[in-house]
PDB file of all heavy atoms in Angstrom:
ATOM      1  N   LEU A  10     -23.396  11.027  77.840  1.00  0.00           N
ATOM      2  CA  LEU A  10     -22.524  10.249  78.695  1.00  0.00           C
ATOM      3  C   LEU A  10     -21.058  10.266  78.233  1.00  0.00           C
ATOM      4  O   LEU A  10     -20.837  10.234  77.057  1.00  0.00           O
ATOM      5  CB  LEU A  10     -22.994   8.777  78.747  1.00  0.00           C
ATOM      6  CG  LEU A  10     -24.410   8.610  79.285  1.00  0.00           C
ATOM      7  CD1 LEU A  10     -24.857   7.139  79.004  1.00  0.00           C
ATOM      8  CD2 LEU A  10     -24.401   8.863  80.754  1.00  0.00           C
ATOM      9  N   PHE A  43     -28.421 -22.786  74.700  1.00  0.00           N
ATOM     10  CA  PHE A  43     -29.183 -23.903  75.277  1.00  0.00           C
ATOM     11  C   PHE A  43     -29.342 -25.020  74.334  1.00  0.00           C
ATOM     12  O   PHE A  43     -29.457 -24.870  73.138  1.00  0.00           O
ATOM     13  CB  PHE A  43     -30.548 -23.396  75.763  1.00  0.00           C
ATOM     14  CG  PHE A  43     -30.517 -22.187  76.601  1.00  0.00           C
ATOM     15  CD1 PHE A  43     -31.300 -21.092  76.344  1.00  0.00           C
ATOM     16  CD2 PHE A  43     -29.670 -22.159  77.748  1.00  0.00           C
ATOM     17  CE1 PHE A  43     -31.188 -19.944  77.086  1.00  0.00           C
ATOM     18  CE2 PHE A  43     -29.604 -21.042  78.502  1.00  0.00           C
ATOM     19  CZ  PHE A  43     -30.330 -19.913  78.223  1.00  0.00           C
ATOM     20  N   LEU A  52     -42.111 -40.780  61.856  1.00  0.00           N
ATOM     21  CA  LEU A  52     -42.259 -42.232  62.007  1.00  0.00           C
ATOM     22  C   LEU A  52     -42.768 -42.656  63.348  1.00  0.00           C
ATOM     23  O   LEU A  52     -43.618 -43.541  63.469  1.00  0.00           O
ATOM     24  CB  LEU A  52     -40.903 -42.951  61.656  1.00  0.00           C
ATOM     25  CG  LEU A  52     -40.464 -42.859  60.181  1.00  0.00           C
ATOM     26  CD1 LEU A  52     -39.163 -43.577  60.043  1.00  0.00           C
ATOM     27  CD2 LEU A  52     -41.488 -43.491  59.263  1.00  0.00           C
ATOM     28  N   ILE A  54     -44.496 -40.826  65.355  1.00  0.00           N
ATOM     29  CA  ILE A  54     -45.919 -40.391  65.477  1.00  0.00           C
ATOM     30  C   ILE A  54     -46.826 -41.324  64.768  1.00  0.00           C
ATOM     31  O   ILE A  54     -47.930 -41.773  65.279  1.00  0.00           O
ATOM     32  CB  ILE A  54     -46.080 -38.948  64.930  1.00  0.00           C
ATOM     33  CG1 ILE A  54     -45.255 -37.930  65.771  1.00  0.00           C
ATOM     34  CG2 ILE A  54     -47.518 -38.536  64.927  1.00  0.00           C
ATOM     35  CD1 ILE A  54     -45.257 -36.542  65.193  1.00  0.00           C
ATOM     36  N   LEU A 120     -19.157  -7.602  72.451  1.00  0.00           N
ATOM     37  CA  LEU A 120     -17.907  -6.901  72.327  1.00  0.00           C
ATOM     38  C   LEU A 120     -17.045  -7.343  73.549  1.00  0.00           C
ATOM     39  O   LEU A 120     -17.403  -6.952  74.689  1.00  0.00           O
ATOM     40  CB  LEU A 120     -18.082  -5.389  72.280  1.00  0.00           C
ATOM     41  CG  LEU A 120     -16.749  -4.556  72.139  1.00  0.00           C
ATOM     42  CD1 LEU A 120     -16.070  -4.861  70.856  1.00  0.00           C
ATOM     43  CD2 LEU A 120     -17.116  -3.035  72.193  1.00  0.00           C
ATOM     44  N   ASP A 164     -32.430  -2.547  81.884  1.00  0.00           N
ATOM     45  CA  ASP A 164     -33.858  -2.947  81.891  1.00  0.00           C
ATOM     46  C   ASP A 164     -33.823  -4.531  82.028  1.00  0.00           C
ATOM     47  O   ASP A 164     -33.517  -5.213  81.103  1.00  0.00           O
ATOM     48  CB  ASP A 164     -34.546  -2.609  80.560  1.00  0.00           C
ATOM     49  CG  ASP A 164     -35.968  -3.044  80.521  1.00  0.00           C
ATOM     50  OD1 ASP A 164     -36.436  -3.728  81.438  1.00  0.00           O
ATOM     51  OD2 ASP A 164     -36.642  -2.804  79.479  1.00  0.00           O
ATOM     52  N   ALA A 187     -22.990 -15.251  96.070  1.00  0.00           N
ATOM     53  CA  ALA A 187     -23.503 -16.387  95.353  1.00  0.00           C
ATOM     54  C   ALA A 187     -24.944 -16.270  95.028  1.00  0.00           C
ATOM     55  O   ALA A 187     -25.443 -16.872  94.066  1.00  0.00           O
ATOM     56  CB  ALA A 187     -23.258 -17.697  96.195  1.00  0.00           C
ATOM     57  N   THR A 244     -61.522 -39.251  76.589  1.00  0.00           N
ATOM     58  CA  THR A 244     -62.123 -39.888  75.403  1.00  0.00           C
ATOM     59  C   THR A 244     -61.269 -41.149  74.975  1.00  0.00           C
ATOM     60  O   THR A 244     -61.885 -42.098  74.586  1.00  0.00           O
ATOM     61  CB  THR A 244     -62.205 -38.876  74.231  1.00  0.00           C
ATOM     62  OG1 THR A 244     -60.946 -38.294  74.071  1.00  0.00           O
ATOM     63  CG2 THR A 244     -63.214 -37.824  74.524  1.00  0.00           C
ATOM     64  N   PHE A 269     -72.057 -71.615  63.160  1.00  0.00           N
ATOM     65  CA  PHE A 269     -73.442 -71.851  62.814  1.00  0.00           C
ATOM     66  C   PHE A 269     -73.801 -71.478  61.389  1.00  0.00           C
ATOM     67  O   PHE A 269     -74.756 -71.984  60.779  1.00  0.00           O
ATOM     68  CB  PHE A 269     -74.419 -71.168  63.765  1.00  0.00           C
ATOM     69  CG  PHE A 269     -74.316 -71.701  65.155  1.00  0.00           C
ATOM     70  CD1 PHE A 269     -73.720 -71.028  66.130  1.00  0.00           C
ATOM     71  CD2 PHE A 269     -74.907 -72.956  65.448  1.00  0.00           C
ATOM     72  CE1 PHE A 269     -73.676 -71.486  67.444  1.00  0.00           C
ATOM     73  CE2 PHE A 269     -74.789 -73.441  66.748  1.00  0.00           C
ATOM     74  CZ  PHE A 269     -74.155 -72.721  67.763  1.00  0.00           C
ATOM     75  N   ALA A 304     -60.418 -22.963  68.189  1.00  0.00           N
ATOM     76  CA  ALA A 304     -59.191 -22.116  68.065  1.00  0.00           C
ATOM     77  C   ALA A 304     -59.493 -21.101  67.031  1.00  0.00           C
ATOM     78  O   ALA A 304     -59.116 -19.857  67.218  1.00  0.00           O
ATOM     79  CB  ALA A 304     -58.012 -22.945  67.747  1.00  0.00           C
ATOM     80  N   TRP A 305     -60.129 -21.423  65.895  1.00  0.00           N
ATOM     81  CA  TRP A 305     -60.461 -20.413  64.875  1.00  0.00           C
ATOM     82  C   TRP A 305     -61.441 -19.364  65.440  1.00  0.00           C
ATOM     83  O   TRP A 305     -61.261 -18.208  65.226  1.00  0.00           O
ATOM     84  CB  TRP A 305     -60.970 -21.131  63.655  1.00  0.00           C
ATOM     85  CG  TRP A 305     -61.587 -20.148  62.662  1.00  0.00           C
ATOM     86  CD1 TRP A 305     -60.873 -19.392  61.785  1.00  0.00           C
ATOM     87  CD2 TRP A 305     -62.986 -19.855  62.477  1.00  0.00           C
ATOM     88  NE1 TRP A 305     -61.763 -18.651  61.029  1.00  0.00           N
ATOM     89  CE2 TRP A 305     -63.029 -18.853  61.450  1.00  0.00           C
ATOM     90  CE3 TRP A 305     -64.093 -20.265  63.083  1.00  0.00           C
ATOM     91  CZ2 TRP A 305     -64.243 -18.375  61.008  1.00  0.00           C
ATOM     92  CZ3 TRP A 305     -65.361 -19.735  62.664  1.00  0.00           C
ATOM     93  CH2 TRP A 305     -65.412 -18.810  61.625  1.00  0.00           C
ATOM     94  N   GLN A 399     -49.434  18.885  75.718  1.00  0.00           N
ATOM     95  CA  GLN A 399     -49.660  20.223  76.106  1.00  0.00           C
ATOM     96  C   GLN A 399     -50.062  21.180  75.006  1.00  0.00           C
ATOM     97  O   GLN A 399     -49.972  22.407  75.125  1.00  0.00           O
ATOM     98  CB  GLN A 399     -48.410  20.788  76.858  1.00  0.00           C
ATOM     99  CG  GLN A 399     -48.045  20.032  78.127  1.00  0.00           C
ATOM    100  CD  GLN A 399     -49.250  20.044  79.117  1.00  0.00           C
ATOM    101  OE1 GLN A 399     -49.579  21.123  79.602  1.00  0.00           O
ATOM    102  NE2 GLN A 399     -49.816  18.894  79.378  1.00  0.00           N
ATOM    103  N   ARG A 414     -23.462  20.345  80.524  1.00  0.00           N
ATOM    104  CA  ARG A 414     -22.838  19.441  81.482  1.00  0.00           C
ATOM    105  C   ARG A 414     -23.922  18.659  82.237  1.00  0.00           C
ATOM    106  O   ARG A 414     -25.019  19.145  82.464  1.00  0.00           O
ATOM    107  CB  ARG A 414     -21.961  20.236  82.551  1.00  0.00           C
ATOM    108  CG  ARG A 414     -21.357  19.239  83.515  1.00  0.00           C
ATOM    109  CD  ARG A 414     -20.165  19.831  84.214  1.00  0.00           C
ATOM    110  NE  ARG A 414     -19.564  18.928  85.166  1.00  0.00           N
ATOM    111  CZ  ARG A 414     -18.517  19.114  85.893  1.00  0.00           C
ATOM    112  NH1 ARG A 414     -17.872  20.255  85.822  1.00  0.00           N
ATOM    113  NH2 ARG A 414     -18.040  18.231  86.766  1.00  0.00           N
ATOM    114  N   ALA A 461     -42.401  17.590 106.327  1.00  0.00           N
ATOM    115  CA  ALA A 461     -43.594  17.677 105.526  1.00  0.00           C
ATOM    116  C   ALA A 461     -43.403  16.985 104.184  1.00  0.00           C
ATOM    117  O   ALA A 461     -44.311  16.289 103.607  1.00  0.00           O
ATOM    118  CB  ALA A 461     -44.032  19.115 105.339  1.00  0.00           C
ATOM    119  N   ARG A 475     -43.976   5.962  92.012  1.00  0.00           N
ATOM    120  CA  ARG A 475     -42.521   6.176  92.098  1.00  0.00           C
ATOM    121  C   ARG A 475     -42.342   7.703  92.158  1.00  0.00           C
ATOM    122  O   ARG A 475     -42.736   8.360  91.178  1.00  0.00           O
ATOM    123  CB  ARG A 475     -41.815   5.520  90.918  1.00  0.00           C
ATOM    124  CG  ARG A 475     -41.976   4.042  90.905  1.00  0.00           C
ATOM    125  CD  ARG A 475     -41.186   3.414  89.760  1.00  0.00           C
ATOM    126  NE  ARG A 475     -41.464   1.987  89.596  1.00  0.00           N
ATOM    127  CZ  ARG A 475     -40.741   1.052  90.212  1.00  0.00           C
ATOM    128  NH1 ARG A 475     -39.762   1.410  90.991  1.00  0.00           N
ATOM    129  NH2 ARG A 475     -41.053  -0.219  90.071  1.00  0.00           N
ATOM    130  N   ILE A 479     -37.965  17.495  92.249  1.00  0.00           N
ATOM    131  CA  ILE A 479     -37.464  18.311  91.143  1.00  0.00           C
ATOM    132  C   ILE A 479     -37.074  19.628  91.657  1.00  0.00           C
ATOM    133  O   ILE A 479     -37.849  20.224  92.510  1.00  0.00           O
ATOM    134  CB  ILE A 479     -38.555  18.413  90.011  1.00  0.00           C
ATOM    135  CG1 ILE A 479     -38.870  17.059  89.493  1.00  0.00           C
ATOM    136  CG2 ILE A 479     -38.054  19.341  88.881  1.00  0.00           C
ATOM    137  CD1 ILE A 479     -40.144  16.969  88.682  1.00  0.00           C
ATOM    138  N   VAL A 571     -52.832 -19.670  99.813  1.00  0.00           N
ATOM    139  CA  VAL A 571     -53.248 -19.332  98.482  1.00  0.00           C
ATOM    140  C   VAL A 571     -54.753 -19.507  98.340  1.00  0.00           C
ATOM    141  O   VAL A 571     -55.352 -19.046  97.280  1.00  0.00           O
ATOM    142  CB  VAL A 571     -52.544 -20.160  97.416  1.00  0.00           C
ATOM    143  CG1 VAL A 571     -51.080 -19.921  97.412  1.00  0.00           C
ATOM    144  CG2 VAL A 571     -52.843 -21.644  97.583  1.00  0.00           C
ATOM    145  N   GLN A 584     -40.774 -18.692  92.720  1.00  0.00           N
ATOM    146  CA  GLN A 584     -41.865 -18.599  93.643  1.00  0.00           C
ATOM    147  C   GLN A 584     -43.213 -18.522  92.869  1.00  0.00           C
ATOM    148  O   GLN A 584     -44.243 -19.044  93.415  1.00  0.00           O
ATOM    149  CB  GLN A 584     -41.703 -17.355  94.545  1.00  0.00           C
ATOM    150  CG  GLN A 584     -40.560 -17.492  95.487  1.00  0.00           C
ATOM    151  CD  GLN A 584     -40.302 -16.265  96.358  1.00  0.00           C
ATOM    152  OE1 GLN A 584     -40.558 -15.191  95.916  1.00  0.00           O
ATOM    153  NE2 GLN A 584     -39.888 -16.447  97.585  1.00  0.00           N
ATOM    154  N   LEU A 651     -66.005 -18.194  75.575  1.00  0.00           N
ATOM    155  CA  LEU A 651     -65.951 -19.060  74.415  1.00  0.00           C
ATOM    156  C   LEU A 651     -65.567 -20.480  74.797  1.00  0.00           C
ATOM    157  O   LEU A 651     -66.097 -21.430  74.246  1.00  0.00           O
ATOM    158  CB  LEU A 651     -64.982 -18.516  73.391  1.00  0.00           C
ATOM    159  CG  LEU A 651     -65.461 -17.263  72.606  1.00  0.00           C
ATOM    160  CD1 LEU A 651     -64.324 -16.645  71.810  1.00  0.00           C
ATOM    161  CD2 LEU A 651     -66.647 -17.576  71.724  1.00  0.00           C
ATOM    162  N   ARG A 653     -66.212 -21.942  77.592  1.00  0.00           N
ATOM    163  CA  ARG A 653     -67.409 -22.590  78.243  1.00  0.00           C
ATOM    164  C   ARG A 653     -68.452 -22.968  77.168  1.00  0.00           C
ATOM    165  O   ARG A 653     -69.046 -24.039  77.216  1.00  0.00           O
ATOM    166  CB  ARG A 653     -68.064 -21.610  79.212  1.00  0.00           C
ATOM    167  CG  ARG A 653     -67.182 -21.368  80.464  1.00  0.00           C
ATOM    168  CD  ARG A 653     -67.952 -20.563  81.515  1.00  0.00           C
ATOM    169  NE  ARG A 653     -67.150 -20.447  82.760  1.00  0.00           N
ATOM    170  CZ  ARG A 653     -67.664 -19.994  83.914  1.00  0.00           C
ATOM    171  NH1 ARG A 653     -68.924 -19.531  83.927  1.00  0.00           N
ATOM    172  NH2 ARG A 653     -66.857 -19.945  84.955  1.00  0.00           N
ATOM    173  N   LEU A 685     -81.483 -63.374  61.010  1.00  0.00           N
ATOM    174  CA  LEU A 685     -81.986 -62.680  59.865  1.00  0.00           C
ATOM    175  C   LEU A 685     -80.818 -62.246  58.970  1.00  0.00           C
ATOM    176  O   LEU A 685     -79.654 -62.309  59.362  1.00  0.00           O
ATOM    177  CB  LEU A 685     -82.777 -61.479  60.328  1.00  0.00           C
ATOM    178  CG  LEU A 685     -84.025 -61.757  61.134  1.00  0.00           C
ATOM    179  CD1 LEU A 685     -84.583 -60.435  61.674  1.00  0.00           C
ATOM    180  CD2 LEU A 685     -85.020 -62.400  60.222  1.00  0.00           C
TER     181      LEU A 685
END
Side-chain angles (χ1 to χ4, degrees):
L10 298 168
F43 307 129
L52 292 179
I54 296 175
L120 181 61
D164 177 358
T244 53
F269 293 107
W305 170 79
Q399 298 302 295
R414 181 160 181 178
R475 298 180 184 273
I479 299 166
V571 297
Q584 292 176 327
L651 287 169
R653 291 187 174 191
L685 297 172

